[in-house]
Amino acid sequence: MFHGVMTALVTPFKNGQVDEDAFRVHLERQIEAGVDAVVPAGSTGEAATLSVAEHKKVIQMAVEQVNGRVPVIAGTGSNNTAESIELTQAAKALGADASLLISPYYVKPTQEGIYQHYKAIADAVHLPQILYNVPGRTASNIQPETVARLSHVSNIIAIKDATADMAQLTRTMMACEGRILFYSGDDASVLPFMTLGGTGVISVVSNIAPKTMKAMVDAVVSKNFETAKAMHFALQNLTDAMFVESNPIPVKKACELLGWMDGELRLPLTEQAAENTAALQQVMQGFQSDVESLNL
C-alpha cells in the first residue's frame, strides 16, 4: 500500500511554538524532491513533547499542505492505549492515510500487553496502521511471534523495524508469511533491509537528503545494486552524523545550517555540542561533493 521513501518529518519550533510556516515549506521541499510519503508527529517530530492539541494540529497541517499529493502517515503512538486511540481517531478524522504507532515506551509491557495494545487500537479505529518497533527508545522489543499474531489483524498493514537486526527481521518476515509489509526504520541499514524484502524506509536522513535516499531506494527496487551500493556509501557519513546525539538533535541542526528553520528543540532535548556541529558541517560539505560526483 505504501512504499519507497517516507520522511519522518521534523517539527520546526520558533519561540516555543510550532512554526507552521517552516513546517509547510519543509513539506513542499519533500514533495518536490519526490518522496513517496510523509510522516508527521513521530519520534523525529518530537511527538513526546507535543501537547495533544499540538499533535493533532501538526497532523492537520500536513494533511492540508500535502493535499493528496502523497500519503500522510500520522504518528499516533503513545505510552498508553487510550491516548493512542484518541490520536489515531483524530488522524482518521483529519484525513490521514494511515497511522504509525510506536510500541508503548517506558511501561515495558509484556508481549501479550503489546499485542493487546495494538489490537485495541486496530479494533477502535478503521485506518491502515503500521507497527513501530524501536527497542532503543521503548525498552521493549516486539518479538517475531507477536508481529506474526498482529499480522492477522486486517488493518495492521506493515511494521517499521528500527532494530537494525537482520536476523530478527528475517525471522519476523518468515513468521508473517507475506501478510504485512516491512519498512526500515534505520537509515544505516536500508540497503540490506530492502534486499531481504523490505518495501521502503521511514527515514530521518531524508529530511535533508531526500533525493539521494529516493535514488538509492529506487535503485534497489530496479535491482541496480551497484548504483544502490554507491549511494549507500555516499550516505554513510551523513547517516552517522544524524545519530551522533539523540535524534532529532542533529537533523534539526542540519536543517538550521541549511537555513530552512530554527534548530529549536524542546527540553529535555538540548542544543547539539559545538564539536558535533563543527563535524556535521564538514560531513554535509563532503556529502554534497560525493553526491555531485555521482550525478545525483
Side-chain angles (χ1 to χ4, degrees):
M1 181 177 290
F2 307 109
H3 65 279
V5 175
M6 297 160 273
T7 301
L9 298 164
V10 295
T11 302
F13 297 123
K14 192 170 186 178
N15 300 321
Q17 304 298 314
V18 175
D19 187 342
E20 180 173 345
D21 290 341
F23 185 64
R24 290 181 181 275
V25 171
H26 192 54
L27 280 163
E28 287 300 317
R29 187 180 298 116
Q30 291 291 313
I31 292 170
E32 288 170 8
V35 301
D36 299 289
V38 293
V39 185
S43 302
T44 304
E46 295 173 77
T49 72
L50 298 174
S51 69
V52 171
E54 287 176 323
H55 197 129
K56 294 175 183 178
K57 180 64 175 176
V58 167
I59 295 169
Q60 179 184 3
M61 288 190 295
V63 172
E64 288 176 352
Q65 191 65 35
V66 168
N67 195 27
R69 290 175 289 173
V70 296
V72 175
I73 302 169
T76 60
S78 171
N79 64 349
N80 75 82
T81 306
E83 185 172 286
S84 298
I85 290 172
E86 177 185 352
L87 291 171
T88 307
Q89 288 172 331
K92 180 180 179 180
L94 291 166
D97 299 283
S99 65
L100 174 67
L101 292 146
I102 193 168
S103 182
Y105 47 88
Y106 182 75
V107 292
K108 298 180 71 173
T110 64
Q111 292 300 301
E112 182 62 23
I114 291 171
Y115 173 80
Q116 294 295 344
H117 169 79
Y118 281 117
K119 180 69 162 52
I121 301 166
D123 287 345
V125 191
H126 189 67
L127 183 72
Q129 295 172 19
I130 301 168
L131 314 176
Y132 179 12
N133 191 25
V134 55
R137 285 186 178 267
T138 64
S140 65
N141 183 21
I142 311 177
Q143 296 294 335
E145 297 78 13
T146 303
V147 180
R149 289 179 69 192
L150 288 165
S151 72
H152 290 281
V153 179
S154 62
N155 53 328
I156 293 176
I157 62 161
I159 181 170
K160 175 185 176 182
D161 185 319
T163 64
D165 183 338
M166 296 301 112
Q168 176 169 308
L169 174 65
T170 300
R171 290 193 295 271
T172 306
M173 286 179 165
M174 292 171 66
C176 290
E177 298 179 325
R179 287 183 294 272
I180 62 172
L181 300 176
F182 287 79
Y183 308 137
S184 173
D186 176 69
D187 283 294
S189 58
V190 175
L191 178 54
F193 189 105
M194 291 193 66
T195 60
L196 286 172
T199 54
V201 56
I202 298 178
S203 171
V204 174
V205 173
S206 62
N207 275 282
I208 59 169
K211 289 182 179 179
T212 309
M213 184 63 73
K214 171 70 172 166
M216 183 180 75
V217 168
D218 286 351
V220 177
V221 171
S222 301
K223 297 186 174 8
N224 188 345
F225 294 114
E226 285 304 312
T227 297
K229 187 168 77 169
M231 296 176 190
H232 169 79
F233 281 107
L235 281 163
Q236 186 60 53
N237 289 337
L238 185 65
T239 299
D240 288 344
M242 290 301 96
F243 298 96
V244 70
E245 294 187 28
S246 297
N247 177 51
I249 294 173
V251 70
K252 288 193 89 171
K253 178 57 68 175
C255 288
E256 180 183 26
L257 292 172
L258 290 165
W260 293 349
M261 62 187 69
D262 288 351
E264 185 176 320
L265 301 152
R266 284 186 171 173
L267 286 171
L269 297 181
T270 55
E271 177 75 9
Q272 181 165 276
E275 61 270 24
N276 288 334
T277 297
L280 174 61
Q281 289 176 303
Q282 290 187 327
V283 167
M284 290 172 69
Q285 291 169 357
F287 171 73
Q288 187 59 42
S289 176
D290 289 344
V291 167
E292 289 172 358
S293 70
L294 290 169
N295 294 317
L296 298 177

